[in-house]
Structure formats: structure tokens, C-alpha cells
Amino acid sequence: MARQERQPRKQNKQKKKKNRFSIKMQKKLLVLYTFVVLAFVGLTVRLVWITRENETEYQKQVLSQQRYDSTTIPYRRGDIVDVKGTKLATSEKVYNLVIDAAVMLYDEKKEQRYLEPTLEALGRNFDLDIARIRQYVLDHPKSSWYVPLRRLTYDQISAFVEEQQAEKSMIRGVWFEEEYKRIYPYGSLAADAVGFTTTDGQGSYGLEEYYDAVLRGVDGREYGYLNDDLTLERTVKAAVDGANVHSTIDANVQMMVEKNLEKFMTEYKDGYKEGNGAENIGCIMMWVNTGEILAMASTPGYDLNDTRNPQALLGSPMVEQITNANGYYEIRKNGQVINQAVLDAMDEEQLYLNLNNLWKNFCITNTYEPGSTVKPFTVAAALEKGIISPDSTYECTGMLEVGGHKIKCHNRTEGLLTLEQAVAKSCNVALMKIGLQMGAEEFSSYQKIFNFGLRTNIDLAGESRTDSLIYTADSMGPTDLATNAFGQNFNVSMIQVITGFCSLINGGYYYEPHMVDKITNASGATVQNIEPRVLKQTISESTSAYIRQFCKSVVDNGTGKTARPAGYAIGGKTGTGETIDQNTHKRSEEDHVVSFIGYAPADDPQIAIYVVVDRPNVEKQGNARYATGIVRDILTEALPYLNIFMTEELSEEEIRELEALQLENTNQYTRTPEGDALEGEGGQDQTRDPDGTGTGTGDNPDGTVSPAPDTAGPVGLTFPIDPVSGYRVDPETGDKFDPVEGFWVEGGNALGTDVPVGPVGGTGP
């Protein structure tokens, strides 16, 4: 009985124990549940707070990770125009074809439905290797930038764009990036003065480089952003186009100049030896009373739209880069003429070196001995200082010994010469005597006054400074002074000479030469006017009047007779300088630079012109007629065009000449609706006559030119005429006399082989 009672009691205890555990667990679970619920409530509250307080920020962060296109809007480079607004350089919009493979392949059904229709449209409208395009797209499915074609015109893309924009078009993943291409409507016209741009739009040479910062603009941009309402919007920051540069060049006059330079090059091509008609020919025309450049050209030239075309090098002497004694690189001619075989054998480095030499502007970069064109400067300086007078006379003996050296004169007729005759007949002896009278100090000071050795600061890139190529007073000995006085044994550039010469004939006012007279913005409003700037007065008006008188006598009675254009009285001065071999540094007795500098009209100078022919391709180069003939042809066309009226009556021969020229120009030039003169086809070839007039095609049936007529020289000179050159030849000395012009041919080795070479460096880099 007791045992039975104990068993239920035990069971009750176990039951109670079991119940107590269950209640405890329930409490724990309740507490845990409560904490969990509270945590979720806290998180919910926190999320609600975050959503309310930072919703915009987090949405921006999320949306910013999505892709929004940002497109550059290119600026348009400013135009370069001539004095009448004719565009010499401009920019036209072009388009790069861009393929976005990711878009082309995208299809929500993953069937690539757009690929083949797009490729077919590309094949219909563009000259593309479609198989290659297909392979690229499939191999680069995530690519968004592949450009198979660049710089297409709108006409080239318009048909494709119409297909792309048509309703239900299946063309995807093709778009066109806009940019601007620099073009030169007149090709090679004024290439040296205008310059060109590189593929990245950087100006190189000429006005393009000098005014690069003006011509450049600022790119714009189109991009997307989120506004305050979190709406994706697009905005455009417009591009700022470059300003326009208004040059002082007259495109019509520039064409006249270049036509006549090229005519000379063609006429004498392969004449004495293989190669062009001359190594270089340069011409500058300038308004005497403002310093504005009317035309500037040199040949051989090149096409501004195809600057790297190697064919432009044919006929030029090849240049190479060497290391001189000081360790500096120099570019020198190696004597080899570039023909097709030489061109084909050039490597890339040689080709670029020769192209770079071609791109240089001969008129401002190359240097040379000016020869007798310096004589008016020497005379003007001596007159200004009172060292000589207009009535001074000089005995010419054909030679003068200075510093132990016998220096010859081009005027071999002994006798007394007035100062005017000394200039007209280009007497070296008279000029040497004047130089020695001045002394090294005065002579050097006037060289600086006329700006020899210094830059003129013309607004073109690449002007040479020639201070190392002229003497100082301390380094100038008697022989140096004597030879410098008539223009040899020191170097100048063309722009230095013509700028200083204008001051000689305009009353002494030295104007800073400039190529630009105005800058306008893209809307046409004037941003800057560039006025003529007088830098100094070199000589007095009275001295200037004498120089004009003497230079007129050069054309009327002296060495410049063949420079006078039909119907005009002009003044000027011939020049013949010797060259220095760049390899041996010795003076050449065969190679010469011949030139003529002049102005018109003679009584009221308006236009100055300077032509330099560097080593004409003839056997005897030392004859200024190769330059005077070019001047005559240019002025005959240019002066009437410039409304500079004739000052002389026309002879019957001149009337026939002008009629022939008018016919030639009618065939050669056409007119655009705007009235701009354009060079066309149909021009007639002409061969220059013995007097350099260029009035016919030769007087023999085969087109050749007969020797000069047998006219007696001064003082009864009756030396026989050489049938090849047309000159009278002294059988004892070999000296030549020109029976047409009536004086000894200018350009012999006046210095003599024993005269030391001064600080000149040949014909420049």
C-alpha cells in the first residue's frame, strides 16, 4: 500500500518538473520573440527614416552608375581670307563613321536581328570591307567605338542617314561623329604665307602657326544630368568658334606672281643640268607706305591640301642632316637632284627632312648675299651722314686693291662716274670707296638702322635672325668693309631687304611689315584692327628723293632696263651675289643668286617688288636679267589691276605685247560668280626673249632664241659675240659684255678667289 502511494507521488513530481521546464522555455521564447520583433520594428523605422531623409542621394548614386553619353561639340577653326574676303583657308564640317557593336548586336530576343540589315546598308552606301566589319563586331560585342571611315562629307553620308531614319528601319549601332576638316580652296596658292594645319588641328608655318591662338576656338559639350526631380536631362554647352584672320594678300596679284615664277621654273627646267629652273625663286610685293604685304611667294611650292605629297620634291636638290664641328645638326644640300628613282629610295626620315625643307618660306627663312641691291643703302647712309654729296664723282679703274686683295668691278669701262652713274651702272669701285670713306663704325651703325641682321617681326612663323651673318664694327677689316659696301660677304633675308628698301624710297619711314590688317569673330564683328606701324625714320626725305632719282636711272640707263613694264616708268636696283659652298665653306665662282628690287611708279612709289632667283639652271648664272624679266612680267599684269595708271606712252611693240598677254590671261583665267580670278587651263607657254621681256615664243622656227644682236659696246668695244651666250667675250680674259644692255655682265667673281669669306653661311638653312 505504501509502495503504491509512493509511485503516484513520484509521477506527480516528474509531471510538475516537466511543467516547470515548459513554462520557462516559453518565457525565454517570448523574450526572444519580443527582441526580434523590436529589432524588425527598429530596422523598419530606420529604413523609413533613410528613405525619407536620403532618398535623393541614394537614387543619384544608383542612377550615376548607369551610362549617359557625353558628346564633344567641335569648334570651327577661323578662316584666313585675302584683302577682298576671298577664302584662302577655311574649315568644313566632316563626319567620322562610328560603329557601336554593343548596340548593333543588342536584341531583347537575342536573335541579332539588326546585324545583317545594318551591314547591308553600310555596304550599299560606303566603300567598306563588310566581311571585316562583321568579324570585328562579332569579335568585340561590347565595343562601342570603332571608326572605319573618317572625314566624310555630308553628301557621302546623306543616303545612309535617310535609310537609318526611315520608319521601321532595322539599322542600329551606327552614328556619325562631327568634326571639321581644314581645306584650302586654291590649293598651292600662297602656301608659304598661309601655312597649314596638322591632323590634330595645330597650325604649322605661315599665318596658320603665327595666328594659331586666334584661329583656334573652344570645344563645346553635350552631356546628361539629373535635375532636382531626378529626371535625366541633356544640356548643351555650345562651342566657341575661332576668329577669322584678314590678310593683306590680294589673291589675284598672288596668282600673277606665282604664275610667272612657275613659268620661269618650267622654262629653264633641266636647262643646264637636271633639276628645276632654279633652286629657289622668291617674290615679295609690298605697299611702300604701309608695310602691308600684297603678295609673297616662292617656288618650288606644294599643295596645302596634300602637304606630304612627295612629288612636290621632284627637281629640287636633296638635303641631308649632318653634325657640324660644334655638335649641332645642320641641313645641307648634298648636290643630288631628286628624281623619281631618288625619291623611291628615300626612307621616311629622309622624306620628312626634305618635305620640311620644302615647307619653309624662302622669303623669310633663307639667307643669301644680296649683291648690288645693297648699293642704294650704302649711298643713302653716306649721303645722310654728309660723307658724300649728290655731286660726288668717282674714277673707275675696273679694280681696286684693298687690304692686299684685288677686287674687281663689273663696270670694266674706265672713266669718271657721277654718283648717279655709279649706282646706275653698279660700279663696285665707287661703292668700295664710299664704304671706306664711311668707316666700319658708321657703316655698321647704318646696317642696324636698316635692320640688317635683325628680325623685322613680320607676323609669320619662321623668320630668320641674321645677326651672326653680318660683321660688327670690331670684326670688320678694310676688305670686309669694301665688299660689304657693294653687298657681298654678308647675308640677309628677302624680307629684311624689301622692308628697308621701302624706307629708302618713301621718305625714310621704316614700317613694320605685316600680313594681317584685321581680325573678326565668327559673327563677323571686328575684334582687332592692325594699323600700319612706323618703327623709325632711317633717312631724311631729301636723301630719299636722291635715292629715287638714282634708282630710276638704273632702269632708264643702267643695269635694270629689262625690268621696266610696258607703259610705266619705275625705279630699282639689280643684284648678283655669290654663294658659299656649305660643305667646303669656300666661295663659288659658278653659283650665284640674282635679284632685282624695284618700285612703281617712279615719281610716286606705291608698290615695291623684290624677286630673287637662287642659282638659275643656266651655265652662266651671274646675270640679273633672270630676275628683271620676272619683275617685268609681274608688273605688266599687276599694275593695271591695282589701278596704278600708266606713266609712259606705249610703243607698237608694247601694244602687241599687251594684246598677247590679254589673250593669254583670257585663256588662263576664268571668273567665279563672285568675281574672283581663278586659274584654269588653256594658258599658252612662252619662252623668254633675250632681253628678258617674255613677249614671244622664240624667234626661230624650232622655238629657240637667237643670239643677241651685234651692237657695238661703249668705247668702240668690238669683241666677237659668243653664239651660245650672246655676249661679247674678251678673248684674253674671258670676260663677257652684254651688247643689248651695253655693259659688262654683272656677277663675275668680283671678290677674287683670294678674298677671305666672312661670317656668311651660304644661302641659309
Side-chain angles (χ1 to χ4, degrees), residues 93-112:
K93 187 175 287 187
V94 291
Y95 304 85
N96 299 329
L97 190 154
V98 181
I99 291 178
D100 190 331
V103 174
M104 191 181 296
L105 294 175
Y106 174 77
D107 185 358
E108 61 275 7
K109 296 183 179 181
K110 299 183 179 180
E111 296 176 356
Q112 296 184 357

mmCIF file with all atom_site columns, all heavy atoms in Angstrom, residues 93-112:
data_model
loop_
_atom_site.group_PDB
_atom_site.id
_atom_site.type_symbol
_atom_site.label_atom_id
_atom_site.label_alt_id
_atom_site.label_comp_id
_atom_site.label_asym_id
_atom_site.label_entity_id
_atom_site.label_seq_id
_atom_site.pdbx_PDB_ins_code
_atom_site.Cartn_x
_atom_site.Cartn_y
_atom_site.Cartn_z
_atom_site.occupancy
_atom_site.B_iso_or_equiv
_atom_site.pdbx_formal_charge
_atom_site.auth_seq_id
_atom_site.auth_comp_id
_atom_site.auth_asym_id
_atom_site.auth_atom_id
_atom_site.pdbx_PDB_model_num
ATOM 1   N N   . LYS A 1 93  ? 32.596 71.104 -92.261 1.00 0.00 ? 93  LYS A N   1
ATOM 2   C CA  . LYS A 1 93  ? 32.209 70.029 -91.358 1.00 0.00 ? 93  LYS A CA  1
ATOM 3   C C   . LYS A 1 93  ? 32.308 68.690 -92.081 1.00 0.00 ? 93  LYS A C   1
ATOM 4   O O   . LYS A 1 93  ? 31.869 68.544 -93.223 1.00 0.00 ? 93  LYS A O   1
ATOM 5   C CB  . LYS A 1 93  ? 30.787 70.246 -90.851 1.00 0.00 ? 93  LYS A CB  1
ATOM 6   C CG  . LYS A 1 93  ? 30.351 69.254 -89.779 1.00 0.00 ? 93  LYS A CG  1
ATOM 7   C CD  . LYS A 1 93  ? 28.979 69.581 -89.214 1.00 0.00 ? 93  LYS A CD  1
ATOM 8   C CE  . LYS A 1 93  ? 29.045 70.803 -88.311 1.00 0.00 ? 93  LYS A CE  1
ATOM 9   N NZ  . LYS A 1 93  ? 27.764 71.049 -87.605 1.00 0.00 ? 93  LYS A NZ  1
ATOM 10  N N   . VAL A 1 94  ? 32.899 67.716 -91.401 1.00 0.00 ? 94  VAL A N   1
ATOM 11  C CA  . VAL A 1 94  ? 33.009 66.366 -91.921 1.00 0.00 ? 94  VAL A CA  1
ATOM 12  C C   . VAL A 1 94  ? 32.550 65.398 -90.833 1.00 0.00 ? 94  VAL A C   1
ATOM 13  O O   . VAL A 1 94  ? 32.335 65.787 -89.679 1.00 0.00 ? 94  VAL A O   1
ATOM 14  C CB  . VAL A 1 94  ? 34.443 66.037 -92.371 1.00 0.00 ? 94  VAL A CB  1
ATOM 15  C CG1 . VAL A 1 94  ? 34.822 66.830 -93.604 1.00 0.00 ? 94  VAL A CG1 1
ATOM 16  C CG2 . VAL A 1 94  ? 35.447 66.301 -91.251 1.00 0.00 ? 94  VAL A CG2 1
ATOM 17  N N   . TYR A 1 95  ? 32.415 64.130 -91.217 1.00 0.00 ? 95  TYR A N   1
ATOM 18  C CA  . TYR A 1 95  ? 31.806 63.155 -90.319 1.00 0.00 ? 95  TYR A CA  1
ATOM 19  C C   . TYR A 1 95  ? 32.634 61.877 -90.285 1.00 0.00 ? 95  TYR A C   1
ATOM 20  O O   . TYR A 1 95  ? 33.041 61.360 -91.332 1.00 0.00 ? 95  TYR A O   1
ATOM 21  C CB  . TYR A 1 95  ? 30.380 62.832 -90.776 1.00 0.00 ? 95  TYR A CB  1
ATOM 22  C CG  . TYR A 1 95  ? 29.504 64.044 -90.904 1.00 0.00 ? 95  TYR A CG  1
ATOM 23  C CD1 . TYR A 1 95  ? 29.506 64.804 -92.082 1.00 0.00 ? 95  TYR A CD1 1
ATOM 24  C CD2 . TYR A 1 95  ? 28.694 64.457 -89.863 1.00 0.00 ? 95  TYR A CD2 1
ATOM 25  C CE1 . TYR A 1 95  ? 28.716 65.935 -92.210 1.00 0.00 ? 95  TYR A CE1 1
ATOM 26  C CE2 . TYR A 1 95  ? 27.891 65.588 -89.984 1.00 0.00 ? 95  TYR A CE2 1
ATOM 27  C CZ  . TYR A 1 95  ? 27.911 66.319 -91.154 1.00 0.00 ? 95  TYR A CZ  1
ATOM 28  O OH  . TYR A 1 95  ? 27.131 67.436 -91.270 1.00 0.00 ? 95  TYR A OH  1
ATOM 29  N N   . ASN A 1 96  ? 32.858 61.374 -89.066 1.00 0.00 ? 96  ASN A N   1
ATOM 30  C CA  . ASN A 1 96  ? 33.519 60.092 -88.877 1.00 0.00 ? 96  ASN A CA  1
ATOM 31  C C   . ASN A 1 96  ? 32.458 59.026 -88.632 1.00 0.00 ? 96  ASN A C   1
ATOM 32  O O   . ASN A 1 96  ? 31.586 59.190 -87.773 1.00 0.00 ? 96  ASN A O   1
ATOM 33  C CB  . ASN A 1 96  ? 34.476 60.137 -87.691 1.00 0.00 ? 96  ASN A CB  1
ATOM 34  C CG  . ASN A 1 96  ? 35.579 61.160 -87.887 1.00 0.00 ? 96  ASN A CG  1
ATOM 35  O OD1 . ASN A 1 96  ? 35.991 61.427 -89.009 1.00 0.00 ? 96  ASN A OD1 1
ATOM 36  N ND2 . ASN A 1 96  ? 36.059 61.734 -86.802 1.00 0.00 ? 96  ASN A ND2 1
ATOM 37  N N   . LEU A 1 97  ? 32.519 57.933 -89.370 1.00 0.00 ? 97  LEU A N   1
ATOM 38  C CA  . LEU A 1 97  ? 31.556 56.846 -89.217 1.00 0.00 ? 97  LEU A CA  1
ATOM 39  C C   . LEU A 1 97  ? 31.964 55.995 -88.015 1.00 0.00 ? 97  LEU A C   1
ATOM 40  O O   . LEU A 1 97  ? 33.050 55.405 -88.008 1.00 0.00 ? 97  LEU A O   1
ATOM 41  C CB  . LEU A 1 97  ? 31.513 56.008 -90.489 1.00 0.00 ? 97  LEU A CB  1
ATOM 42  C CG  . LEU A 1 97  ? 30.397 54.972 -90.619 1.00 0.00 ? 97  LEU A CG  1
ATOM 43  C CD1 . LEU A 1 97  ? 30.092 54.708 -92.093 1.00 0.00 ? 97  LEU A CD1 1
ATOM 44  C CD2 . LEU A 1 97  ? 30.730 53.659 -89.930 1.00 0.00 ? 97  LEU A CD2 1
ATOM 45  N N   . VAL A 1 98  ? 31.095 55.929 -87.025 1.00 0.00 ? 98  VAL A N   1
ATOM 46  C CA  . VAL A 1 98  ? 31.384 55.204 -85.781 1.00 0.00 ? 98  VAL A CA  1
ATOM 47  C C   . VAL A 1 98  ? 30.439 54.008 -85.669 1.00 0.00 ? 98  VAL A C   1
ATOM 48  O O   . VAL A 1 98  ? 29.216 54.161 -85.843 1.00 0.00 ? 98  VAL A O   1
ATOM 49  C CB  . VAL A 1 98  ? 31.222 56.114 -84.549 1.00 0.00 ? 98  VAL A CB  1
ATOM 50  C CG1 . VAL A 1 98  ? 31.548 55.340 -83.270 1.00 0.00 ? 98  VAL A CG1 1
ATOM 51  C CG2 . VAL A 1 98  ? 32.107 57.339 -84.671 1.00 0.00 ? 98  VAL A CG2 1
ATOM 52  N N   . ILE A 1 99  ? 30.993 52.850 -85.386 1.00 0.00 ? 99  ILE A N   1
ATOM 53  C CA  . ILE A 1 99  ? 30.197 51.631 -85.205 1.00 0.00 ? 99  ILE A CA  1
ATOM 54  C C   . ILE A 1 99  ? 30.187 51.254 -83.735 1.00 0.00 ? 99  ILE A C   1
ATOM 55  O O   . ILE A 1 99  ? 31.246 51.104 -83.109 1.00 0.00 ? 99  ILE A O   1
ATOM 56  C CB  . ILE A 1 99  ? 30.755 50.480 -86.062 1.00 0.00 ? 99  ILE A CB  1
ATOM 57  C CG1 . ILE A 1 99  ? 30.512 50.788 -87.544 1.00 0.00 ? 99  ILE A CG1 1
ATOM 58  C CG2 . ILE A 1 99  ? 30.127 49.157 -85.673 1.00 0.00 ? 99  ILE A CG2 1
ATOM 59  C CD1 . ILE A 1 99  ? 31.054 49.754 -88.489 1.00 0.00 ? 99  ILE A CD1 1
ATOM 60  N N   . ASP A 1 100 ? 28.981 51.083 -83.195 1.00 0.00 ? 100 ASP A N   1
ATOM 61  C CA  . ASP A 1 100 ? 28.777 50.662 -81.803 1.00 0.00 ? 100 ASP A CA  1
ATOM 62  C C   . ASP A 1 100 ? 28.304 49.217 -81.838 1.00 0.00 ? 100 ASP A C   1
ATOM 63  O O   . ASP A 1 100 ? 27.121 48.922 -82.042 1.00 0.00 ? 100 ASP A O   1
ATOM 64  C CB  . ASP A 1 100 ? 27.738 51.561 -81.131 1.00 0.00 ? 100 ASP A CB  1
ATOM 65  C CG  . ASP A 1 100 ? 27.664 51.335 -79.628 1.00 0.00 ? 100 ASP A CG  1
ATOM 66  O OD1 . ASP A 1 100 ? 27.951 50.208 -79.191 1.00 0.00 ? 100 ASP A OD1 1
ATOM 67  O OD2 . ASP A 1 100 ? 27.295 52.275 -78.908 1.00 0.00 ? 100 ASP A OD2 1
ATOM 68  N N   . ALA A 1 101 ? 29.232 48.294 -81.665 1.00 0.00 ? 101 ALA A N   1
ATOM 69  C CA  . ALA A 1 101 ? 28.907 46.865 -81.762 1.00 0.00 ? 101 ALA A CA  1
ATOM 70  C C   . ALA A 1 101 ? 27.903 46.439 -80.709 1.00 0.00 ? 101 ALA A C   1
ATOM 71  O O   . ALA A 1 101 ? 27.030 45.601 -80.957 1.00 0.00 ? 101 ALA A O   1
ATOM 72  C CB  . ALA A 1 101 ? 30.187 46.042 -81.645 1.00 0.00 ? 101 ALA A CB  1
ATOM 73  N N   . ALA A 1 102 ? 28.001 47.001 -79.507 1.00 0.00 ? 102 ALA A N   1
ATOM 74  C CA  . ALA A 1 102 ? 27.095 46.622 -78.427 1.00 0.00 ? 102 ALA A CA  1
ATOM 75  C C   . ALA A 1 102 ? 25.651 46.926 -78.789 1.00 0.00 ? 102 ALA A C   1
ATOM 76  O O   . ALA A 1 102 ? 24.737 46.140 -78.503 1.00 0.00 ? 102 ALA A O   1
ATOM 77  C CB  . ALA A 1 102 ? 27.490 47.344 -77.142 1.00 0.00 ? 102 ALA A CB  1
ATOM 78  N N   . VAL A 1 103 ? 25.416 48.044 -79.426 1.00 0.00 ? 103 VAL A N   1
ATOM 79  C CA  . VAL A 1 103 ? 24.059 48.404 -79.834 1.00 0.00 ? 103 VAL A CA  1
ATOM 80  C C   . VAL A 1 103 ? 23.628 47.599 -81.049 1.00 0.00 ? 103 VAL A C   1
ATOM 81  O O   . VAL A 1 103 ? 22.477 47.151 -81.149 1.00 0.00 ? 103 VAL A O   1
ATOM 82  C CB  . VAL A 1 103 ? 23.975 49.912 -80.130 1.00 0.00 ? 103 VAL A CB  1
ATOM 83  C CG1 . VAL A 1 103 ? 22.615 50.284 -80.700 1.00 0.00 ? 103 VAL A CG1 1
ATOM 84  C CG2 . VAL A 1 103 ? 24.263 50.707 -78.869 1.00 0.00 ? 103 VAL A CG2 1
ATOM 85  N N   . MET A 1 104 ? 24.543 47.387 -81.981 1.00 0.00 ? 104 MET A N   1
ATOM 86  C CA  . MET A 1 104 ? 24.209 46.643 -83.188 1.00 0.00 ? 104 MET A CA  1
ATOM 87  C C   . MET A 1 104 ? 23.791 45.211 -82.873 1.00 0.00 ? 104 MET A C   1
ATOM 88  O O   . MET A 1 104 ? 22.916 44.639 -83.529 1.00 0.00 ? 104 MET A O   1
ATOM 89  C CB  . MET A 1 104 ? 25.405 46.649 -84.153 1.00 0.00 ? 104 MET A CB  1
ATOM 90  C CG  . MET A 1 104 ? 25.085 46.135 -85.550 1.00 0.00 ? 104 MET A CG  1
ATOM 91  S SD  . MET A 1 104 ? 26.524 46.135 -86.636 1.00 0.00 ? 104 MET A SD  1
ATOM 92  C CE  . MET A 1 104 ? 26.878 47.873 -86.739 1.00 0.00 ? 104 MET A CE  1
ATOM 93  N N   . LEU A 1 105 ? 24.413 44.612 -81.871 1.00 0.00 ? 105 LEU A N   1
ATOM 94  C CA  . LEU A 1 105 ? 24.118 43.221 -81.513 1.00 0.00 ? 105 LEU A CA  1
ATOM 95  C C   . LEU A 1 105 ? 23.001 43.102 -80.489 1.00 0.00 ? 105 LEU A C   1
ATOM 96  O O   . LEU A 1 105 ? 22.491 42.001 -80.248 1.00 0.00 ? 105 LEU A O   1
ATOM 97  C CB  . LEU A 1 105 ? 25.384 42.542 -80.967 1.00 0.00 ? 105 LEU A CB  1
ATOM 98  C CG  . LEU A 1 105 ? 26.533 42.358 -81.961 1.00 0.00 ? 105 LEU A CG  1
ATOM 99  C CD1 . LEU A 1 105 ? 27.750 41.796 -81.246 1.00 0.00 ? 105 LEU A CD1 1
ATOM 100 C CD2 . LEU A 1 105 ? 26.124 41.441 -83.108 1.00 0.00 ? 105 LEU A CD2 1
ATOM 101 N N   . TYR A 1 106 ? 22.631 44.181 -79.844 1.00 0.00 ? 106 TYR A N   1
ATOM 102 C CA  . TYR A 1 106 ? 21.625 44.101 -78.779 1.00 0.00 ? 106 TYR A CA  1
ATOM 103 C C   . TYR A 1 106 ? 20.261 43.763 -79.364 1.00 0.00 ? 106 TYR A C   1
ATOM 104 O O   . TYR A 1 106 ? 19.801 44.349 -80.331 1.00 0.00 ? 106 TYR A O   1
ATOM 105 C CB  . TYR A 1 106 ? 21.523 45.415 -78.017 1.00 0.00 ? 106 TYR A CB  1
ATOM 106 C CG  . TYR A 1 106 ? 20.401 45.425 -77.007 1.00 0.00 ? 106 TYR A CG  1
ATOM 107 C CD1 . TYR A 1 106 ? 20.547 44.761 -75.798 1.00 0.00 ? 106 TYR A CD1 1
ATOM 108 C CD2 . TYR A 1 106 ? 19.200 46.052 -77.292 1.00 0.00 ? 106 TYR A CD2 1
ATOM 109 C CE1 . TYR A 1 106 ? 19.516 44.742 -74.874 1.00 0.00 ? 106 TYR A CE1 1
ATOM 110 C CE2 . TYR A 1 106 ? 18.159 46.043 -76.376 1.00 0.00 ? 106 TYR A CE2 1
ATOM 111 C CZ  . TYR A 1 106 ? 18.317 45.392 -75.167 1.00 0.00 ? 106 TYR A CZ  1
ATOM 112 O OH  . TYR A 1 106 ? 17.291 45.353 -74.257 1.00 0.00 ? 106 TYR A OH  1
ATOM 113 N N   . ASP A 1 107 ? 19.626 42.801 -78.741 1.00 0.00 ? 107 ASP A N   1
ATOM 114 C CA  . ASP A 1 107 ? 18.286 42.389 -79.134 1.00 0.00 ? 107 ASP A CA  1
ATOM 115 C C   . ASP A 1 107 ? 17.666 41.673 -77.951 1.00 0.00 ? 107 ASP A C   1
ATOM 116 O O   . ASP A 1 107 ? 18.228 40.697 -77.429 1.00 0.00 ? 107 ASP A O   1
ATOM 117 C CB  . ASP A 1 107 ? 18.356 41.461 -80.350 1.00 0.00 ? 107 ASP A CB  1
ATOM 118 C CG  . ASP A 1 107 ? 16.976 41.105 -80.883 1.00 0.00 ? 107 ASP A CG  1
ATOM 119 O OD1 . ASP A 1 107 ? 15.987 41.555 -80.276 1.00 0.00 ? 107 ASP A OD1 1
ATOM 120 O OD2 . ASP A 1 107 ? 16.911 40.373 -81.877 1.00 0.00 ? 107 ASP A OD2 1
ATOM 121 N N   . GLU A 1 108 ? 16.502 42.141 -77.526 1.00 0.00 ? 108 GLU A N   1
ATOM 122 C CA  . GLU A 1 108 ? 15.876 41.537 -76.355 1.00 0.00 ? 108 GLU A CA  1
ATOM 123 C C   . GLU A 1 108 ? 15.572 40.061 -76.568 1.00 0.00 ? 108 GLU A C   1
ATOM 124 O O   . GLU A 1 108 ? 15.499 39.275 -75.626 1.00 0.00 ? 108 GLU A O   1
ATOM 125 C CB  . GLU A 1 108 ? 14.597 42.310 -76.002 1.00 0.00 ? 108 GLU A CB  1
ATOM 126 C CG  . GLU A 1 108 ? 13.533 42.319 -77.086 1.00 0.00 ? 108 GLU A CG  1
ATOM 127 C CD  . GLU A 1 108 ? 13.755 43.431 -78.101 1.00 0.00 ? 108 GLU A CD  1
ATOM 128 O OE1 . GLU A 1 108 ? 14.808 44.091 -78.007 1.00 0.00 ? 108 GLU A OE1 1
ATOM 129 O OE2 . GLU A 1 108 ? 12.890 43.624 -78.969 1.00 0.00 ? 108 GLU A OE2 1
ATOM 130 N N   . LYS A 1 109 ? 15.440 39.656 -77.834 1.00 0.00 ? 109 LYS A N   1
ATOM 131 C CA  . LYS A 1 109 ? 15.189 38.237 -78.119 1.00 0.00 ? 109 LYS A CA  1
ATOM 132 C C   . LYS A 1 109 ? 16.475 37.475 -78.429 1.00 0.00 ? 109 LYS A C   1
ATOM 133 O O   . LYS A 1 109 ? 16.428 36.280 -78.730 1.00 0.00 ? 109 LYS A O   1
ATOM 134 C CB  . LYS A 1 109 ? 14.227 38.116 -79.299 1.00 0.00 ? 109 LYS A CB  1
ATOM 135 C CG  . LYS A 1 109 ? 12.842 38.686 -79.009 1.00 0.00 ? 109 LYS A CG  1
ATOM 136 C CD  . LYS A 1 109 ? 11.926 38.463 -80.194 1.00 0.00 ? 109 LYS A CD  1
ATOM 137 C CE  . LYS A 1 109 ? 10.530 39.018 -79.902 1.00 0.00 ? 109 LYS A CE  1
ATOM 138 N NZ  . LYS A 1 109 ? 9.599  38.799 -81.043 1.00 0.00 ? 109 LYS A NZ  1
ATOM 139 N N   . LYS A 1 110 ? 17.583 38.180 -78.403 1.00 0.00 ? 110 LYS A N   1
ATOM 140 C CA  . LYS A 1 110 ? 18.896 37.579 -78.646 1.00 0.00 ? 110 LYS A CA  1
ATOM 141 C C   . LYS A 1 110 ? 18.965 36.871 -80.002 1.00 0.00 ? 110 LYS A C   1
ATOM 142 O O   . LYS A 1 110 ? 19.498 35.774 -80.142 1.00 0.00 ? 110 LYS A O   1
ATOM 143 C CB  . LYS A 1 110 ? 19.268 36.607 -77.522 1.00 0.00 ? 110 LYS A CB  1
ATOM 144 C CG  . LYS A 1 110 ? 19.354 37.282 -76.168 1.00 0.00 ? 110 LYS A CG  1
ATOM 145 C CD  . LYS A 1 110 ? 19.796 36.315 -75.088 1.00 0.00 ? 110 LYS A CD  1
ATOM 146 C CE  . LYS A 1 110 ? 19.902 37.037 -73.744 1.00 0.00 ? 110 LYS A CE  1
ATOM 147 N NZ  . LYS A 1 110 ? 20.325 36.139 -72.651 1.00 0.00 ? 110 LYS A NZ  1
ATOM 148 N N   . GLU A 1 111 ? 18.409 37.530 -80.998 1.00 0.00 ? 111 GLU A N   1
ATOM 149 C CA  . GLU A 1 111 ? 18.405 36.946 -82.336 1.00 0.00 ? 111 GLU A CA  1
ATOM 150 C C   . GLU A 1 111 ? 19.310 37.702 -83.309 1.00 0.00 ? 111 GLU A C   1
ATOM 151 O O   . GLU A 1 111 ? 19.398 37.334 -84.474 1.00 0.00 ? 111 GLU A O   1
ATOM 152 C CB  . GLU A 1 111 ? 16.972 36.936 -82.890 1.00 0.00 ? 111 GLU A CB  1
ATOM 153 C CG  . GLU A 1 111 ? 16.024 36.055 -82.100 1.00 0.00 ? 111 GLU A CG  1
ATOM 154 C CD  . GLU A 1 111 ? 14.601 36.143 -82.623 1.00 0.00 ? 111 GLU A CD  1
ATOM 155 O OE1 . GLU A 1 111 ? 14.373 36.964 -83.551 1.00 0.00 ? 111 GLU A OE1 1
ATOM 156 O OE2 . GLU A 1 111 ? 13.727 35.406 -82.135 1.00 0.00 ? 111 GLU A OE2 1
ATOM 157 N N   . GLN A 1 112 ? 19.948 38.793 -82.846 1.00 0.00 ? 112 GLN A N   1
ATOM 158 C CA  . GLN A 1 112 ? 20.825 39.616 -83.685 1.00 0.00 ? 112 GLN A CA  1
ATOM 159 C C   . GLN A 1 112 ? 20.107 40.070 -84.962 1.00 0.00 ? 112 GLN A C   1
ATOM 160 O O   . GLN A 1 112 ? 20.633 40.021 -86.067 1.00 0.00 ? 112 GLN A O   1
ATOM 161 C CB  . GLN A 1 112 ? 22.106 38.863 -84.042 1.00 0.00 ? 112 GLN A CB  1
ATOM 162 C CG  . GLN A 1 112 ? 22.977 38.526 -82.836 1.00 0.00 ? 112 GLN A CG  1
ATOM 163 C CD  . GLN A 1 112 ? 24.281 37.866 -83.198 1.00 0.00 ? 112 GLN A CD  1
ATOM 164 O OE1 . GLN A 1 112 ? 24.537 37.600 -84.367 1.00 0.00 ? 112 GLN A OE1 1
ATOM 165 N NE2 . GLN A 1 112 ? 25.103 37.590 -82.199 1.00 0.00 ? 112 GLN A NE2 1
#
